[in-house]
Amino acid sequence: MEATQQGADVFFVLMGAILVFAMHAGFAFLEVGTVRHKNQVNALVKIIVDFAISTLAYFFVGYSVAYGVDFLVSAAVLDGSAEGSPFAKQGFDLVKFFFLLTFAAAIPAIISGGIAERAKFWTQAMATAVIVGLIYPFYEGIVWGGNFGLQDWLSESYGAAFNDFAGSIVVHAVGGWIALGAVILLGQRRGRYTSDGRVVGVPPSSIPWLALGSWLLCVGWFGFNVMSAQSLEGVSGLVAMNSLLAMVGGILVALIVGKNDPGFIHNGALAGLVAVCAGSNVMHPIGSLLVGGAAGAIFVIFFNLCQNRWRIDDVLGVWPLHGLCGLWGGIACGIFGQEALGGLGGVAFMSQLIGSLAGAAYALAGGFAVYGALKLLLGIRLSPEEEAQGADLSIHKIGANPESEMAPR
């Protein structure tokens, strides 16, 4: 019976890892549909290469930073079959690594959308290695690994530890606030704003590709949230229901506030899902609906402020979507997770506030540090000629539709 339970948990977490891995296709196509046609190939290549680099960085460095575990032992030890092995039998710890890797690799996938159309390829690859190997797992270990005693201190001081069940802060806010530093250091796309301050509109290249990206992310998100339980015994239908209601809230509010704009609507679904990650295990579905709806409004309002008033050229709006909606979700867990508002309790508002703000501040500092150093040493931006030609031809020497592009006119 024990072996059957272990095998079931291995399969459960493996399916979760596969679902979250599939979300990376969603990141890719969301970016493909948003950027201009001359940058679509670059979007696809960046996401898959970043995943590969993330795997190596997390395998050799990052997982050890977060959890003090390394894999430089025999396969028999890793599989748990060797006598005295510290690893769980049937490779549970290995599929857990795969699952958590897909979370870690989401950080550069998030950043990719903000810096699209003008970032150098190889310096971004270097940034990915540093972020996934060191920056991200340091905070991940504090929250999910219990490192440095922050969770114990919050529990002693406020009656509950910082609750971030599926990563509103650890994954999304960290990714979004790192991206903000990168976007500011990279600067605006050439021609995005005129010398007299007018905004030059850059419409999405393909609404169908953008919509496909959103759908893939939404489907995979139920693996992201529900399977964060990491065992069949711990799985909760409440997490699934809360994720569903938050997604719906984000869609409908973005529909209204965004005035029927399809880009806002499809990103509104993601805003709701980002926000519900932290408290999906403790909130009431109606609370999740409200949290998701608020996130939909946050995304639309702050995307417009970034682009039109503050001149922050965040191409996919990853700071409003992941950074701000993630921050809202972490704090909202401390409100709507309370028993007085229909939640399960076991959360403290001050713990949520401190943990959320600390994650955002840490990530912003990390973003400026990593991209600032790379900008100083190697440069992080394409030349004006390369940017005008497009990242596809400048970097990859081929466009999204090479046959039609080569045809005689």
Side-chain angles (χ1 to χ4, degrees):
M1 183 62 71
E2 182 182 355
T4 301
Q5 181 64 45
Q6 288 171 341
D9 286 344
V10 168
F11 186 74
F12 175 75
V13 176
L14 176 60
M15 291 301 101
I18 291 169
L19 279 170
V20 185
F21 178 43
M23 291 175 69
H24 290 263
F27 283 120
F29 282 102
L30 191 72
E31 185 172 337
V32 165
T34 305
V35 299
R36 287 170 285 191
H37 190 267
K38 63 183 179 179
N39 297 298
Q40 289 181 327
V41 171
N42 182 244
L44 293 168
V45 173
K46 270 193 302 179
I47 301 296
I48 198 167
V49 170
D50 278 344
F51 189 89
I53 293 170
S54 296
T55 300
L56 295 183
Y58 201 60
F59 181 83
F60 286 107
V61 181
Y63 200 69
S64 180
V65 170
Y67 303 106
V69 176
D70 70 71
F71 302 104
L72 303 181
V73 293
S74 73
V77 173
L78 292 176
D79 191 53
S81 56
E83 185 72 26
S85 172
F87 289 84
K89 292 182 178 179
Q90 295 180 266
F92 177 80
D93 289 312
L94 303 185
V95 293
K96 180 181 177 181
F97 163 81
F98 183 15
F99 183 67
L100 292 173
L101 160 69
T102 59
F103 282 55
I107 303 297
I110 290 167
I111 296 167
S112 176
I115 63 175
E117 300 204 330
R118 75 272 202 206
K120 283 185 176 181
F121 183 81
W122 287 111
T123 47
Q124 172 55 22
M126 294 175 191
T128 292
V130 175
I131 289 166
V132 178
L134 296 173
I135 304 297
Y136 166 77
F138 182 82
Y139 189 71
E140 176 192 16
I142 290 174
V143 176
W144 288 342
N147 297 346
F148 301 107
L150 176 64
Q151 290 286 39
D152 292 336
W153 176 76
L154 290 172
S155 185
E156 292 170 5
S157 301
Y158 303 107
F162 175 54
N163 187 85
D164 191 8
F165 182 69
S168 285
I169 301 298
V170 173
V171 178
H172 297 287
V174 166
W177 287 85
I178 290 175
L180 177 62
V183 167
I184 291 172
L185 287 169
L186 198 60
Q188 304 156 351
R189 285 170 289 177
R190 299 184 189 281
R192 184 70 175 93
Y193 305 98
T194 63
S195 57
D196 59 0
R198 288 184 297 108
V199 180
V200 177
V202 182
S205 59
S206 173
I207 296 298
W209 284 133
L210 184 158
L212 175 64
S214 176
W215 275 103
L216 287 168
L217 284 163
C218 287
V219 171
W221 222 295
F222 288 88
F224 196 97
N225 284 4
V226 175
M227 291 170 173
S228 285
Q230 297 184 29
S231 71
L232 282 174
E233 184 180 4
V235 72
S236 169
L238 180 64
V239 176
M241 181 63 79
N242 284 337
S243 301
L244 177 66
L245 268 291
M247 179 187 75
V248 168
I251 292 169
L252 294 178
V253 173
L255 168 70
I256 296 166
V257 179
K259 300 177 181 178
N260 262 323
D261 183 284
F264 286 144
I265 294 166
H266 286 91
N267 278 287
L270 308 181
L273 286 163
V274 164
V276 80
C277 287
S280 58
N281 63 325
V282 295
M283 294 192 296
H284 189 281
I286 295 175
S288 295
L289 178 67
L290 296 174
V291 170
I298 288 169
F299 173 71
V300 174
I301 292 168
F302 280 90
F303 181 89
N304 284 326
L305 285 172
C306 282
Q307 300 291 333
N308 300 326
R309 181 174 298 179
W310 299 334
R311 303 296 194 264
I312 299 173
D313 192 13
D314 179 351
V315 180
L316 268 68
V318 298
W319 177 61
L321 179 60
H322 297 275
L324 292 181
C325 292
L327 183 61
W328 157 240
I331 296 170
C333 173
I335 302 170
F336 292 94
Q338 302 287 347
E339 291 184 39
L341 292 176
L344 295 182
V347 294
F349 176 75
M350 284 304 299
S351 293
Q352 295 304 121
L353 181 65
I354 292 169
S356 299
L357 292 176
Y362 168 74
L364 182 62
F368 274 111
V370 172
Y371 286 93
L374 286 170
K375 182 176 182 178
L376 181 65
L377 297 173
L378 300 171
I380 57 176
R381 182 163 182 151
L382 296 174
S383 70
E385 296 76 20
E386 290 170 330
E387 187 178 338
Q389 185 180 38
D392 292 359
L393 294 178
S394 297
I395 297 171
H396 309 290
K397 313 305 179 187
I398 193 167
N401 303 102
E403 187 174 351
S404 62
E405 291 165 1
M406 293 174 62
R409 298 177 183 270

